[in-house]
């Protein structure tokens, strides 16, 4: 499964490796995330996977924010992690909400807690989770230097 | 030609807040309904009344302390939270717990599924107008809580999972007591199942309420009994076969129709499956010592990352744990099933009657303190409804 998936997505793969336990990680360019989802639907079929969650990690030493899309390929009993790196100063990635409406919760959460801007998602707003006294100061709590 | 001098704006809809006090369960959630007469045309799901910043808290505490913190994300499903996090740590450490511990973990989690499903079925009955049925179901649920107490020492917060095993072993007396309880409760569940199938009022209230098609369940990332009620065969226990699920036989229950009734039937089917699994575990429990020596566990974790999933009573629950080498995690990401099922499901209320909204919300088994999250509008329809008044009656789903 992993081999054939990497092969069919090879034009987008920057790097691929495994996350414990046996989750396939494919690194892609942030600007290509939407294309990868379209390709994935073509290769596997739209009804064989769903987006489980979106996770963001702050990496201040590398001046990057890492963003992971966890995709449950439930018809293949497998998991795929799409990974992209964004510049920490300007973390912008195209939203996939029109392709996958289930991305809503993940995109809103990652925006509010980490400050990633999902371009094209009109529902983004602060104080999704973060209380207003913190969000009004422009603080993103999951950034390592947020002081929260 | 007469020039218009006034612009008259007629509000298109009536806005009705449902919640945040007790919309279905006794937890805070606000459903802002936009209704045209009795029909709902849009719903904003507003949460965030419960956000406690547990992911941040987990970064500030050690790997081992976090086991107790994540167990408190949710009261009802604390064993699955702790199990998922503990397994994420075990993946990082390459630790494999002994078979007896794996069986006991599944036992605790299946007892939890039993009482969680009985709770939400009781709430479904209450929302449909049957307080007596609620009381009966809750009484029998209490026996399962007792069984969980016999196993873990606590009827709610178990704190049962440890890296490399479980906290307590079980002896023959406890085994026979739990077996006895589960057999008795199973008989009662059969009776409640019959009530749900045959009672005219429950059927009328639950059938066709909040129908979700299979394609929508997938596109909106719905999980657990909500997805399975719409015919999506997804179950983390079957996909990932973690702990002892590769040895214990069980079936993945699905229903095709996708309404509140189908979701209730999935839960009944899973009650039988869980009861059978409990009986299988108690009669096939491997020998050995399931309790690890805590003093021998490493304090510092190697660098790396892991992603564990577990089938919580409400659906797939995921934990991502990243370690930069040290005694504290670099990042812990928790995605609870209710986050997807409640935040993404605003579309399911559209074109339903106002009175059915609590029924539909109840059928999603909301766990607000679990998801603690948001402002959502219906995605399929967009935010604004620029349609003539005369078309209001014909809003199509």
């Amino acid at each position: 499964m992993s081999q054939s998936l990497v092969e069919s997505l090879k034009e987008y793969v920057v790097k691929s490796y495994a996350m414990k336990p046996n989750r396939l990680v494919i690194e892609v360019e942030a600007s290509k995330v939407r294309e990868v989802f379209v390709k994935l639907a073509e290769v596997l079929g739209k009804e064989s996977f769903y987006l489980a969650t979106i996770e963001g990690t702050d990496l201040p030493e590398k001046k990057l924010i890492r963003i992971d899309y966890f995709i449950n390929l439930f018809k293949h009993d497998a998991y795929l992690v799409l990974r992209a790196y964004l510049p920490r100063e300007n973390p912008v990635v195209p939203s996939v909400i029109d392709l996958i409406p289930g991305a809503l919760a993940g995109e809103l959460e990652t925006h509010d807690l980490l400050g990633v801007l999902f371009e094209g998602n009109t529902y983004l707003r602060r104080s999704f989770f973060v209380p207003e006294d913190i969000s009004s100061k422009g603080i993103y709590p999951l950034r390592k230097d947020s002081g929260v | 030609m007469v020039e218009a001098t006034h612009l008259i704006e007629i509000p298109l809809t009536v806005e009705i807040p449902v919640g945040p006090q007790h919309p279905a369960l006794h937890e805070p959630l606000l459903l802002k309904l936009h209704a045209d007469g009795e029909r709902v045309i849009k719903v904003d799901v507003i949460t965030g009344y419960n956000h406690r910043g547990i992911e941040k808290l987990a970064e500030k505490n050690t790997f081992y302390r976090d086991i107790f913190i994540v167990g408190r994300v949710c009261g009802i499903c604390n064993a699955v939270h702790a199990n998922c996090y503990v397994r994420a740590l075990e993946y990082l450490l390459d630790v494999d717990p002994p078979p007896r511990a794996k069986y006991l973990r599944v036992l605790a989690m299946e007892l939890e599924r039993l009482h969680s499903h009985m709770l939400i079925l009781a709430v479904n009955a209450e929302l449909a107008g049957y307080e007596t049925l609620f009381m009966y179901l809750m009484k029998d649920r209490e026996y399962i809580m007792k069984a969980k107490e016999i196993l873990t020492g606590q009827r709610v917060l178990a704190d049962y999972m440890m890296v490399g095993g479980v906290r307590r072993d079980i002896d023959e007396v406890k085994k026979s007591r739990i077996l006895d309880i589960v057999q008795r409760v199973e008989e009662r569940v059969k009776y409640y199942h019959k009530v749900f199938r045959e009672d005219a009022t429950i059927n009328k209230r639950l059938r066709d309420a909040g129908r979700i098609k299979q394609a929508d369940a997938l596109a909106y990332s719905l999980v657990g009994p909500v997805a399975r009620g719409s015919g999506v065969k997804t179950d983390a226990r079957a996909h990932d076969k973690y702990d002892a699920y590769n040895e214990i036989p069980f079936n993945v229950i699905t229903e095709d129709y996708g309404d509140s009734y189908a979701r209730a039937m999935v839960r009944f089917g899973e009650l039988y499956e869980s009861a059978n699994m409990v009986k299988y575990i108690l009669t096939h429990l491997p020998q050995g010592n399931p309790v690890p020596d805590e003093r021998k566990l490493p304090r510092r974790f190697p660098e790396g990352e892991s992603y564990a999933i577990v089938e919580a009573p409400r659906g797939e629950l995921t934990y991502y744990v990243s370690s930069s080498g040290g005694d504290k995690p670099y990042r812990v990401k928790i995605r609870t099933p209710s986050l997807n099922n409640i935040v993404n499901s605003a579309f399911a209320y559209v074109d339903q009657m106002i009175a059915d909204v609590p029924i539909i919300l109840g059928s999603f088994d909301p766990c607000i303190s679990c998801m603690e999250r948001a402002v959502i509008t219906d995605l399929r329809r967009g935010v604004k409804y620029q349609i003539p008044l005369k078309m209001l009656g014909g809003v199509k789903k």
Side-chain angles (χ1 to χ4, degrees), chain A residues 55-141:
Chain A
E55 185 267 332
T57 309
D58 186 22
L59 306 165
E61 282 160 20
K62 296 178 186 165
K63 294 192 173 145
L64 291 170
I65 285 183
R66 187 178 64 205
I67 178 157
D68 296 336
Y69 296 80
F70 289 92
I71 304 163
N72 191 337
L73 313 172
F74 65 95
K75 287 212 172 140
H76 307 278
D77 290 346
Y79 239 101
L80 171 66
V81 186
L82 282 186
R83 174 163 284 185
Y85 288 93
L86 316 173
R88 196 165 182 267
E89 297 308 314
N90 183 28
V92 183
V93 63
S95 167
V96 294
I97 197 156
D98 51 330
L99 303 172
I100 299 171
L104 177 71
E107 291 193 354
L108 283 175
E109 185 184 10
T110 312
H111 173 70
D112 197 23
L113 295 173
L114 209 61
V116 176
L117 186 66
F118 293 89
E119 225 168 22
N121 184 343
T122 52
Y123 303 98
L124 287 188
R125 54 162 224 137
R126 285 310 307 271
S127 289
F128 176 72
F129 295 151
V130 180
E132 262 173 28
D133 57 332
I134 292 181
S135 67
S136 61
K137 291 180 199 153
I139 294 172
Y140 296 102

Side-chain angles (χ1 to χ4, degrees), chain B residues 35-297:
Chain B
D36 167 33
E38 283 291 314
R39 218 155 263 287
V40 177
I41 60 167
K42 193 181 91 173
V43 171
D44 298 337
V45 182
I46 299 177
T47 63
Y49 297 97
N50 251 343
H51 194 251
R52 293 162 291 168
I54 283 185
E55 288 176 11
K56 190 76 186 177
L57 193 62
E59 287 176 13
K60 306 228 167 185
N61 283 280
T62 63
F63 284 102
Y64 295 102
R65 277 189 183 182
D66 285 342
I67 299 173
F68 299 97
I69 294 172
V70 300
R72 279 142 185 85
V73 171
C74 175
I76 293 178
C77 37
N78 61 82
V80 285
H81 273 273
N83 176 271
C84 196
Y85 175 71
V86 160
R87 273 190 299 111
L89 299 190
E90 286 170 354
Y91 297 144
L92 282 175
L93 290 171
D94 287 322
V95 169
D96 194 29
R100 190 177 174 89
K102 289 182 177 178
Y103 270 67
L104 289 175
R105 283 178 179 186
V106 175
L107 179 58
M109 290 190 285
E110 291 306 320
L111 285 174
E112 201 164 80
R113 192 180 321 280
L114 277 169
H115 80 64
S116 174
H117 278 3
M118 287 178 82
L119 170 77
I120 198 61
L121 287 166
V123 171
N124 281 354
E126 187 200 20
L127 292 170
Y130 275 94
E131 287 197 14
T132 321
L133 185 52
F134 169 82
M135 294 294 179
Y136 273 118
L137 263 159
M138 289 303 274
K139 174 187 167 244
D140 287 321
R141 172 181 180 262
E142 196 55 41
Y143 296 123
I144 301 290
M145 308 291 284
K146 184 73 201 171
K148 201 178 162 198
E149 186 186 337
I150 294 168
L151 174 69
T152 66
Q154 241 289 14
R155 63 186 277 285
V156 182
L157 278 171
D159 286 333
Y160 191 53
M161 309 294 168
M162 286 175 74
V163 174
V166 293
R167 201 162 290 280
R168 284 155 61 112
D169 199 3
I170 187 172
D171 59 23
E172 291 302 318
V173 179
K174 287 178 178 170
K175 259 162 76 174
S176 69
R177 282 182 72 195
I178 296 172
L179 197 58
D180 180 51
I181 288 172
V182 170
Q183 278 167 343
R184 268 193 294 141
V185 172
E186 198 183 5
E187 289 306 309
R188 297 295 298 161
V189 168
K190 283 179 190 162
Y191 170 69
Y192 300 130
H193 194 189
K194 185 165 171 269
V195 173
F196 267 73
R197 274 193 320 237
E198 293 178 3
D199 185 88
T201 315
I202 287 188
N203 271 272
K204 276 190 178 161
R205 291 302 310 273
L206 298 188
R207 281 193 194 267
D208 281 314
R211 193 172 169 207
I212 298 173
K213 292 183 193 128
Q214 185 175 359
D216 285 341
L218 279 169
Y220 286 86
S221 301
L222 304 184
V223 292
V226 181
R228 290 195 285 276
S230 297
V232 182
K233 201 167 182 180
T234 163
D235 190 322
R237 295 174 291 175
H239 305 317
D240 226 35
K241 295 189 171 52
Y242 52 90
D243 284 338
Y245 284 113
N246 55 347
E247 293 173 23
I248 301 164
F250 71 100
N251 299 310
V252 178
I253 308 289
T254 55
E255 291 274 339
D256 291 328
Y257 197 66
D259 57 355
S260 297
Y261 183 80
R263 294 190 273 277
M265 287 304 120
V266 167
R267 294 197 178 99
F268 270 113
E270 290 182 3
L271 283 177
Y272 297 132
E273 291 299 322
S274 292
N276 287 337
M277 286 159 88
V278 169
K279 286 188 274 187
Y280 181 90
I281 292 165
L282 292 171
T283 47
H284 293 78
L285 198 58
Q287 295 301 316
N289 176 22
V291 185
D293 186 350
E294 237 170 335
R295 291 165 300 182
K296 290 185 183 158
L297 292 172

